[in-house]
Amino acid sequence: MDDKRKRAKPIRFGYKLWAMCADSGYCFNFFLYCGKEVTQSKNPLGTRVVTSMLTVVDNPFGYTVHFDDFFSNYNLFKILKEKGFRATGTIRDNRTEKCPLKSVKEVEKTKRVTHDHRFDKKNKIMLSQYVLSKGGIKTRKSQAPISQPKLINNYNKFMGGVDHHDWLLEKHSIAIKGKKWYWCLITRIVDMAVINSFILYNLLHPKDNVSIKEFRSNIAVAYLKLGHGRRVQKGRPLSIPSTSRAQVVYDVCFDEKNHILDKRDNKRRCQFPLCKGKPRTFCKKCNATLCLPCFPKYHDKSYAK
Ligand SMILES: [Zn+2]
Ligand SMILES: [Zn+2]
């Protein structure tokens, strides 16, 4: 902690969320840290967080986990290895179980770029010290370029996942302020779900090129259109402007999933265009009153044009 931080007022209230993200920024799991917990486990906090976060992974084989020195300790790597995960992380000097690595000072004295490593054959864990001596990565014309181990490259790439998630989230996060202390947590979780769906949407529709702002506003418009069934009461629109991407609710009509016919107590006007029937039947998912012959047509896109 530097001087500036010491002078700054400490944050008395706040919350901490642990998150596990892919390099795309997709969040697989998160935990709210509620301060010191009562636990039987002798493992340090970092180990407990990582291992419980990974419980969502069904098949550990084929996954590599990356974490920073807050979580890392020798025992954690051992636990992950036993479970079948591969893991890479930076580690603090005092958590290496006294691994006889050369000290940074010792290594620095040698070549421009040098490293020292030890390999635990039994647990298959490698600890290495990689040092760029004074002058760092900048290369003079006379000097050969420094090659970077792939491991470091991968670490930097995958460690950015959580930052990327946060970056996407903070661009247009929910701005409605609530008075309750937990309000910011609720909005944060909603924001996180939006970011995850945005990432999935882009995976499925890479050519759409939708920005996060557009994506968020599409969600809002779709909910507004849902308007507690008001759209349904006024009848289904015959055509939807093609410029609007906010057809989430509209598209749901044609997804061919779980459209179940149910009966109401009272009769209502059939929602299918030009039908004058007054059935009790309606689609539970679309919340649209439909008579039996109109039910398949309502869910068929070719009738919508
Ligand atoms: Zn339906
Ligand atoms: Zn009808």
Side-chain angles (χ1 to χ4, degrees):
M1 192 187 275
D2 62 15
D3 277 354
K4 219 160 115 197
R5 289 277 301 277
K6 271 181 206 161
R7 278 199 302 272
K9 278 183 189 167
I11 302 163
R12 285 183 64 212
F13 303 104
Y15 58 87
K16 204 179 188 69
L17 274 185
W18 311 110
M20 177 169 77
C21 295
D23 62 324
S24 63
Y26 186 90
C27 180
F28 295 106
N29 200 0
F30 70 92
F31 286 144
L32 174 66
Y33 179 58
C34 304
K36 217 173 174 185
E37 328 124 80
V38 184
T39 171
Q40 305 277 309
S41 169
K42 282 177 187 160
N43 288 328
L45 179 64
T47 306
R48 294 202 304 272
V49 171
V50 174
T51 47
S52 48
M53 199 82 87
L54 287 169
T55 50
V56 291
V57 183
D58 288 333
N59 178 19
F61 300 94
Y63 285 100
T64 308
V65 196
H66 297 82
F67 38 80
D68 67 15
D69 65 354
F70 175 83
F71 303 95
S72 289
N73 60 71
Y74 192 77
N75 198 34
L76 174 61
F77 285 103
K78 237 166 94 180
I79 295 171
L80 294 178
K81 176 75 199 153
E82 278 161 20
K83 286 183 190 285
F85 288 104
R86 280 178 289 182
T88 308
T90 46
I91 193 160
R92 292 176 193 168
D93 280 348
N94 58 354
R95 292 191 186 167
T96 61
E97 303 282 313
K98 294 185 180 146
C99 175
L101 274 176
K102 283 182 189 168
S103 73
V104 178
K105 273 187 184 168
E106 255 179 292
V107 182
E108 255 180 1
K109 277 177 201 162
T110 51
K111 290 180 207 160
R112 189 162 67 108
V113 188
T114 185
H115 81 280
D116 182 30
H117 72 274
R118 293 287 180 276
F119 186 65
D120 172 355
K121 280 184 191 158
K122 194 181 151 211
N123 298 305
K124 294 194 173 147
I125 298 171
M126 189 173 86
L127 249 155
S128 95
Q129 179 89 273
Y130 186 82
V131 175
L132 283 169
S133 66
K134 276 168 199 164
I137 202 111
K138 281 182 205 159
T139 49
R140 284 183 223 121
K141 270 184 189 168
S142 57
Q143 288 173 325
I146 299 164
S147 60
Q148 185 189 45
K150 187 135 200 291
L151 194 79
I152 296 182
N153 189 298
N154 278 350
Y155 176 81
N156 290 336
K157 184 181 164 205
F158 292 104
M159 273 306 288
V162 179
D163 289 339
H164 188 61
H165 183 92
D166 285 346
W167 178 74
L168 283 169
L169 193 145
E170 270 145 31
K171 272 174 140 185
H172 302 281
S173 53
I174 297 171
I176 312 161
K177 293 229 158 66
K179 279 182 184 167
K180 298 281 184 206
W181 65 268
Y182 47 77
W183 177 255
C184 51
L185 280 172
I186 296 171
T187 55
R188 174 93 193 180
I189 291 165
V190 174
D191 279 334
M192 285 169 86
V194 172
I195 297 303
N196 271 4
S197 20
F198 172 69
I199 292 164
L200 290 182
Y201 183 89
N202 276 339
L203 261 176
L204 290 168
H205 310 272
K207 284 177 190 164
D208 266 19
N209 226 349
V210 184
S211 71
I212 180 74
K213 191 176 172 187
E214 244 183 311
F215 187 78
R216 294 195 84 117
S217 90
N218 287 350
I219 295 174
V221 172
Y223 272 106
L224 288 171
K225 282 195 174 176
L226 198 65
H228 302 287
R230 205 178 299 149
R231 175 182 80 77
V232 174
Q233 279 164 22
K234 281 185 183 168
R236 184 177 182 219
L238 278 166
S239 65
I240 301 277
S242 58
T243 46
S244 165
R245 292 219 186 124
Q247 299 314 319
V248 184
V249 177
Y250 185 68
D251 286 343
V252 163
C253 298
F254 311 117
D255 68 359
E256 293 175 15
K257 275 178 203 143
N258 305 323
H259 293 272
I260 297 162
L261 196 72
D262 204 354
K263 262 189 179 174
R264 283 197 179 101
D265 291 339
N266 53 340
K267 287 181 179 177
R268 289 190 196 172
R269 174 92 188 264
C270 173
Q271 311 268 165
F272 192 71
L274 306 175
C275 176
K276 293 205 169 123
K278 268 199 159 185
R280 284 181 210 275
T281 45
F282 73 107
C283 172
K284 248 182 146 178
K285 186 171 178 178
C286 305
N287 192 23
T289 310
L290 294 161
C291 42
L292 280 178
C294 296
F295 189 85
K297 287 190 262 175
Y298 184 87
H299 296 102
D300 185 341
K301 210 167 192 169
S302 57
Y303 283 92
K305 284 166 190 164

